[in-house]
Amino acid sequence: MKKLFFMMAAFAAINTVKAQDKQFTKTGKIIFDATVPKSPENIDAVNKSVVCVLDTKAGALQFAVLMKSFEFDRALMMEHFNENYVESGKYPKAEFKGTISNNATVNYTKDGVYPVKVKGKLTMHGETKDVEADGKITVKAGKINAVADFEVLFIDYKITIPELVADKVAKTAKIKVDCSLEPLK
Amino acid sequence: MKKRINLKRIFLIVTVIAAAASLYGYREFNRKNKNLHDVEATANLKSADIITQFANDEKKAMTAYSGKAVAVFGTVKKIDKDEKGFYTIVLGDNESMSSVRCSIDSTESSQAATIQSNSTIGIKGICTGYNADEMGLGADVILNRCVIEPAK
């Protein structure tokens, strides 16, 4: 009986540890910025509904973004972004699947700021490309925050900027990902 | 003499058209997103119904709701407030992993702060799509720029 109880307790403990390995959020943020000095206004937007899952053990990182969830200050800019550039009706989602290449250097159980390198594939506008980004993992009081910055060249994803506004929109968008994660139960 | 009057008239008409076009362009460029309190919902649905519609036929549901103002009524499952004070109210059945996630417009934060878990409320927002359960987290219908619907 004792043996059975011990086995059950051990099994429960293993499952808890496994679940804690996965961290997630459904309220991650992505900030997009395609402003250039000649832009009449800032061309930036925020998406506050990013789904992100991080497997702390394997270093696997995945996120999904609905393109229509990007909020611009100006309605016209938002309409152009969705209808003419990213064609969000045809390609509603962007996805990233990758890994933290130096995951072994991150101690997820100890408070600290850990610089990381993220490598993976980003699919957007129906095109998939390799992406590398520098980021950081912050562990504070058991909570994990993941931040990464990278750039996306529109032409790589077959996103065309009309000639008329070509000098007012950056050819490369700056992307900032910011996700406060919680354990997956 | 008559030719000069005609030229004056043409110049005046061109000036008026140019001024109207500039004004239209300026207003269009500076146009903000409408507050959803002032927009009529294209559909009024229970949270379980819109989730089922997306789960059964995502393409059809996207055609019906994506990019449109939708009013959804349901039980408040969870209230998320981030470090910048943005609210996300999650509607749905507590027993189900699927939900309607409503990202609240920043102008509605004070209203969102009064919402209680497990209460039944209505929220109007722009449907931006559906996250199918591809990561083992449950499926979600996403509403953006949401406002709290007044109790009827």
Side-chain angles (χ1 to χ4, degrees):
Chain A
M1 188 67 184
K2 256 187 186 175
K3 202 172 176 181
L4 181 68
F5 177 75
F6 176 76
M7 278 170 70
M8 281 169 72
F11 183 72
I14 288 166
N15 269 346
T16 307
V17 170
K18 272 189 179 170
Q20 294 270 326
D21 287 343
K22 282 200 173 177
Q23 300 272 332
F24 85 106
T25 184
K26 290 184 177 184
T27 55
K29 316 260 180 313
I30 287 187
I31 296 164
F32 158 96
D33 191 344
T35 311
V36 286
K38 279 192 176 175
S39 303
E41 292 293 333
N42 282 353
I43 303 169
D44 54 9
V46 62
N47 188 321
K48 295 180 282 194
S49 314
V50 178
V51 180
C52 174
V53 178
L54 168 67
D55 183 336
T56 56
K57 199 171 183 185
L61 182 69
Q62 194 175 345
F63 61 78
V65 184
L66 291 175
M67 299 308 285
K68 277 200 174 131
S69 289
F70 277 100
E71 291 178 43
F72 288 75
D73 191 36
R74 284 177 159 72
L76 188 67
M77 222 180 256
M78 196 151 105
E79 286 160 16
H80 283 173
F81 175 81
N82 283 305
E83 290 161 20
N84 306 334
Y85 301 155
V86 298
E87 299 179 274
S88 57
K90 201 171 170 188
Y91 308 105
K93 214 180 267 188
E95 282 178 326
F96 174 84
K97 284 180 186 175
T99 52
I100 296 173
S101 45
N102 59 334
N103 191 52
T105 63
V106 184
N107 186 346
Y108 290 98
T109 57
K110 190 181 172 191
D111 281 8
V113 179
Y114 304 91
V116 290
K117 287 215 175 286
V118 180
K119 282 184 184 176
K121 290 187 184 297
L122 176 67
T123 303
M124 184 172 63
H125 199 240
E127 300 293 317
T128 301
K129 297 284 169 197
D130 288 327
V131 166
E132 277 189 49
D134 288 324
K136 64 179 183 192
I137 300 277
T138 304
V139 181
K140 195 176 176 188
K143 297 209 167 184
I144 297 170
N145 179 260
V147 175
D149 290 281
F150 60 98
E151 294 191 339
V152 166
L153 189 61
F154 287 129
I155 204 163
D156 280 352
Y157 296 88
K158 299 203 168 111
I159 295 170
T160 318
I161 309 294
E163 200 62 39
L164 192 67
V165 292
D167 62 336
K168 293 175 182 69
V169 180
K171 288 174 176 56
T172 303
K174 288 176 190 157
I175 310 289
K176 187 183 181 72
V177 185
D178 186 346
C179 294
S180 294
L181 306 168
E182 54 185 288
L184 181 59
K185 287 163 191 163
Chain B
M1 190 68 177
K2 201 175 178 186
K3 200 175 178 185
R4 187 172 284 177
I5 291 169
N6 274 346
L7 271 174
K8 263 189 182 174
R9 198 173 281 172
I10 290 167
F11 178 74
L12 189 70
I13 291 168
V14 169
T15 308
V16 168
I17 290 171
S22 301
L23 183 67
Y24 174 78
Y26 176 80
R27 289 180 65 166
E28 198 45 18
F29 179 76
N30 288 299
R31 180 165 52 91
K32 302 275 179 186
N33 290 307
K34 275 187 184 168
N35 183 314
L36 292 186
H37 280 304
D38 304 327
V39 176
E40 200 175 332
T42 53
N44 290 272
L45 298 146
K46 286 182 184 166
S47 57
D49 293 341
I50 192 167
I51 292 166
T52 306
Q53 287 186 38
F54 270 97
N56 289 347
D57 191 341
E58 187 178 342
K59 208 173 168 183
K60 193 176 166 190
M62 283 293 276
T63 307
Y65 305 122
S66 177
K68 294 173 186 161
V70 179
V72 178
F73 300 84
T75 307
V76 177
K77 205 169 161 180
K78 197 178 172 207
I79 302 163
D80 282 331
K81 186 187 175 191
D82 74 6
E83 67 284 354
K84 286 182 181 151
F86 292 122
Y87 282 90
T88 301
I89 294 181
V90 186
L91 298 181
D93 182 353
N94 280 316
E95 305 303 311
S96 165
M97 279 182 78
S98 298
S99 314
V100 179
R101 298 187 63 86
C102 311
S103 178
I104 304 295
D105 193 281
S106 56
T107 58
E108 288 278 303
S109 294
S110 55
Q111 187 74 7
T114 64
I115 304 292
Q116 304 284 320
S117 286
N118 293 317
S119 58
T120 302
I121 61 164
I123 292 184
K124 184 164 55 181
I126 302 291
C127 180
T128 61
Y130 179 67
N131 280 322
D133 187 10
E134 288 160 0
M135 301 187 207
L137 305 172
D140 297 299
V141 178
I142 309 294
L143 301 188
N144 243 22
R145 291 168 42 212
C146 294
V147 295
I148 316 295
E149 284 280 85
K152 286 173 186 168

